[in-house]
């Protein structure tokens, strides 16, 4: 049964999306000018855009494979795409995506403990990348002699989030007693916040973190480098789509350099992590457009590039994810059909 605590956030999200696409972006550039810019893209650049989008989709599977030994590429890709697609269309955002991924992997025979560890680690590593990259972008932009106040703020906030979460993870993994204490404190804070919005308390506690610790230490010891590499690759292929889109639409290096485009992209990623709209719709578009215009792109070119970039990074995963979710049983194979094969 829908409650006001669910209806109000959904209404706010829809309002934000509507304002951005029907008020803010049209004031930055007329959609007619934007369409003319898109139509001028040459066929070689169209092929380059398709190749960048395909490469981006191809990197969806390996991170969960690194965190869940025994999972093959086809099933990993299906699970990741379906999970991502659900965050774009289902109320609840990332929580729905995590639940769907868990259900698919469980249906293929993987043990619950292994799935929990894998899904948690891939989620945490993605957050590490999202909040850590603005600092790298700030350093690269500073090396060019540039500056961006919003990037500085994003880098500072990202470093704080990264430091706190990394320290918490390190402490939790170092001692069962500390893991229990951190988990109990975190659940108490979460419960206090949930009470303010009249929601039920969380179902986890310090013991949950202790159980997570037991299954995580060995996995990270042997596979942290694979998880880190593939998570980084997944994020950078998204950026590759942006840089190819900018160049295809005529935004060259004299207008927006690599460091500047990377800075704009990291700002948009942090903004998109704010849980107001599904997939950051509206927030990402206005944040990325504003940053690109600020760095030197023309209004019409910036809006066109952002809309094409978002279409290429959201459209294929959404379409393929819906198909993967509807046909998820067909993506099962011999190695994942029996959870006993990876129980150890």
């Amino acid at each position: 049964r829908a409650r006001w605590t669910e209806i109000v956030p959904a209404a706010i999200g829809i309002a934000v999306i509507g304002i951005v696409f029907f008020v803010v972006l049209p004031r930055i550039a007329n959609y007619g000018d934007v369409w003319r810019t898109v139509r001028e893209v040459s066929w070689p650049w169209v092929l380059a855009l398709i190749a960048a989008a395909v490469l981006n989709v191809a990197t969806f599977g390996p991170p969960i494979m690194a965190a869940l030994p025994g999972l093959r590429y086809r099933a990993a890709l299906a699970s990741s795409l379906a999970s991502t697609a659900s965050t774009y269309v289902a109320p609840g955002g990332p929580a729905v995506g995590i639940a769907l991924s868990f259900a698919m992997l469980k249906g293929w025979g993987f043990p619950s403990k292994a799935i929990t560890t894998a899904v948690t680690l891939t989620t945490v590593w993605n957050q590490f990348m999202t909040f850590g990259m603005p600092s790298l972008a700030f350093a690269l932009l500073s090396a060019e002699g540039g500056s961006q106040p919003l990037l500085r703020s994003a880098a500072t906030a990202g470093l704080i989030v990264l430091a706190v979460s990394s320290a918490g993870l390190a402490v939790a993994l170092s001692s069962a007693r500390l893991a229990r204490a951190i988990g109990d404190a975190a659940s108490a804070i979460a419960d206090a916040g949930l009470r303010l919005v009249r929601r039920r308390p969380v179902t986890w506690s310090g013991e949950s973190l202790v159980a997570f610790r037991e299954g995580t230490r060995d996995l990270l010891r042997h596979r942290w480098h694979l998880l880190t590499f593939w998570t980084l690759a997944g994020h950078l292929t998204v950026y590759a789509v942006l840089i190819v889109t900018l160049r295809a639409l005529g935004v060259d290096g004299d207008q927006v350099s690599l460091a500047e485009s990377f800075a704009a992209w990291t700002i948009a990623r942090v903004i998109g992590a704010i849980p107001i709209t599904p997939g950051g719709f509206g927030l990402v578009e206005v944040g990325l457009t504003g940053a690109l215009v600020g760095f030197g792109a023309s209004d019409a070119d910036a809006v066109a590039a952002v809309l094409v970039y978002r279409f290429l990074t959201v459209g294929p995963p959404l379409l393929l994810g819906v198909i993967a979710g509807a046909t998820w049983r067909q993506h099962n194979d011999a190695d994942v059909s029996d959870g006993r094969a990876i129980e150890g």
Side-chain angles (χ1 to χ4, degrees):
R1 182 176 301 174
R3 299 179 180 179
W4 68 268
T5 53
E6 298 170 347
I7 295 174
V8 171
I12 292 175
I14 294 173
V16 169
I17 294 173
I19 291 172
V20 168
F21 284 98
F22 295 103
V23 178
V24 178
L25 292 182
R27 289 187 177 181
I28 297 176
N30 182 277
Y31 279 149
D33 296 334
V34 170
W35 177 238
R36 281 189 289 272
T37 300
V38 173
R39 290 179 60 185
E40 293 175 357
V41 177
S42 64
W43 277 107
W45 277 117
V46 170
L47 295 176
L49 290 169
I50 294 173
V54 170
L55 179 61
N56 175 41
V57 169
T59 59
F60 271 65
I64 190 68
M65 292 174 65
L68 187 57
L71 181 63
R72 288 188 175 181
Y73 179 74
R74 178 182 171 185
L77 185 62
S79 171
S80 298
L81 286 172
S83 174
T84 300
S86 69
T87 66
Y88 295 145
V89 299
V96 175
I98 291 173
L100 179 59
S101 180
F102 186 97
M104 293 175 69
L105 294 169
K106 182 67 175 176
W108 288 329
F110 285 93
S112 298
K113 184 176 179 180
I115 299 171
T116 300
T117 299
V119 172
T120 302
L121 286 179
T122 52
T123 301
V124 170
W125 252 243
N126 273 313
Q127 295 304 310
F128 282 172
M129 293 296 174
T130 297
F131 290 102
M133 282 187 173
S135 298
L136 175 60
F138 182 73
L140 293 174
L141 190 61
S142 298
E144 284 191 350
S147 64
Q148 220 286 346
L150 184 56
L151 176 61
R152 185 183 299 109
S153 300
T156 301
L159 277 178
I160 294 174
V161 172
L162 188 62
V164 172
S165 56
S166 298
L169 180 63
V171 171
L173 294 177
S174 66
S175 165
R177 180 179 60 83
L178 291 174
R180 185 177 294 104
I182 292 174
D184 288 338
S187 64
I189 293 172
D191 286 344
L194 290 171
R195 281 196 297 270
L196 293 177
V197 292
R198 298 182 181 179
R199 302 296 293 272
R200 288 176 293 181
V202 297
T203 57
W204 47 270
S205 65
E207 292 300 327
S208 303
L209 191 55
V210 172
F212 170 75
R213 170 183 176 273
E214 293 174 354
T216 301
R217 290 194 302 169
D218 289 341
L219 179 65
L220 286 179
R221 185 179 295 114
H222 296 99
R223 303 178 72 88
W224 70 269
H225 58 292
L226 293 174
L227 178 59
T228 302
F229 174 82
W230 285 115
T231 303
L232 177 61
H235 282 251
L236 291 181
T237 56
V238 180
Y239 169 65
V241 176
L242 174 63
I243 194 63
V244 173
T245 302
L246 288 172
R247 300 303 182 250
L249 291 169
V251 183
D252 58 29
D254 292 334
Q255 294 176 278
V256 180
S257 67
L258 283 175
E260 290 171 336
S261 63
F262 185 67
W265 177 73
T266 61
I267 291 172
R269 298 286 278 185
V270 172
I271 293 175
I274 302 173
I276 296 179
T277 63
F281 289 124
L283 299 178
V284 171
E285 284 77 8
V286 72
L288 185 53
T289 299
L292 291 173
V293 170
F295 282 128
S298 69
D299 293 350
D301 287 349
V303 173
V306 169
L307 293 180
V308 171
Y309 157 76
R310 287 290 275 170
F311 173 78
L312 292 174
T313 54
V314 173
L318 177 58
L319 176 61
L320 295 173
V322 171
I323 296 173
T327 62
W328 71 274
R329 294 184 183 276
Q330 300 178 21
H331 301 288
N332 191 11
D333 56 43
D335 281 1
V336 297
S337 63
D338 187 357
R340 292 174 298 177
I342 60 163
E343 189 71 52

